[in-house]
Amino acid sequence: MSELHKFLFDGLPVRGSIVRLTDAWTDMLARRQANTATGAWPPPVAELLGEMAAAGVLMQSNIKFNGALVLQIFGDGPVKVAVAEVQHDLSLRATAKVVGDVGVNARLPDMVNHTNKGRCAITLDPKDRFPGQQPYQGVVPLHGERGEKLGRLSEVLEHYMLQSEQLDTRLVLAADSKVAAGLLIQRLPVTGEGNLAGADQHGGSQRTKEGAPSFRGQANEDAIGRNEDYNRIATLAASLTREELLELDVETVLRRLFWEEKLLRFDLQTPRFACTCSRERVANMIRALGQEEAQSILADHGEIDVGCDFCGQQYRFDAVDATRIFTDPGDQPPVSPTVQ
Ligand SMILES: [Zn+2]
């Protein structure tokens, strides 16, 4: 069973969460492997997607927000785009578009950041968007402040948290063919008991108009990198090795790292794989293509065959189905072909 554990360090302005995706992760890998059109992802791509999925769960669980958190990397190497999407209930899915060869030992820059133009976008897409409301999106490059290429997804996301939320964050991520896991440690902008409610005594924690949480108080900015409790706990977290994170159970990891700290634990949550694709959404996509294009595909292939990149589900529309799409326009807006 996949697990997410959240905790606070008692009396300290520090929170943490640890995720261990097992069935949720192997389910995604098995679906991809079973897809005869694509076959399995190259191992480095699978590892990147596993880390993105784990990070997506950690980030989603840290925000009070009813909608999807979408983590995307737009690359300029053989991996053109990689996506992990986590819903409010921690159901998740992930996929990648690979167009070139990925070496067995490829690292992040080899896959997505050849010419230093790769980007990572974090989108918060509200569940019930009111008309005209845009999703909140933050984008960070895959390089550091001096232009150096970042070798790990965790570094990219640590930069994002610091730049967009002014929060010191330590992330450790790892994935293999069985487990995708992550540990997040974050400094909170307030101390003591107030940290749960997010009430900020010092600078004011606000939500931006798009609904994204933000902690932009001066006192908080002054504290960046300077909180001794956070620094001690983050250093402990950073000592966790990839092997330990993948192989040890959650209780063992927490005991080994934080045996001298007092943790306040929250109820266990269970992330799972789920795809939000549907025949209706694919029909909307075909409608967005236009009748002429649809007829041309039907003339060439006899049917319109659309496979979901996330779960492998095939949707087939014959000439009768296609005619129905265009005579019964439905009421759904068109959806993007990449995220169905
Ligand atoms: Zn699907």
Side-chain angles (χ1 to χ4, degrees), residues 129-143:
R129 243 195 269 172
F130 52 82
Q133 186 185 12
Q134 293 298 311
Y136 162 85
Q137 188 175 66
V139 181
V140 281
L142 302 181
H143 59 72

Side-chain angles (χ1 to χ4, degrees), residues 100-120:
D101 288 331
V102 176
V104 281
N105 295 317
R107 300 189 70 219
L108 189 67
D110 307 320
M111 289 188 279
V112 294
N113 199 20
H114 275 189
T115 58
N116 232 356
K117 295 199 173 101
R119 293 284 180 276
C120 176

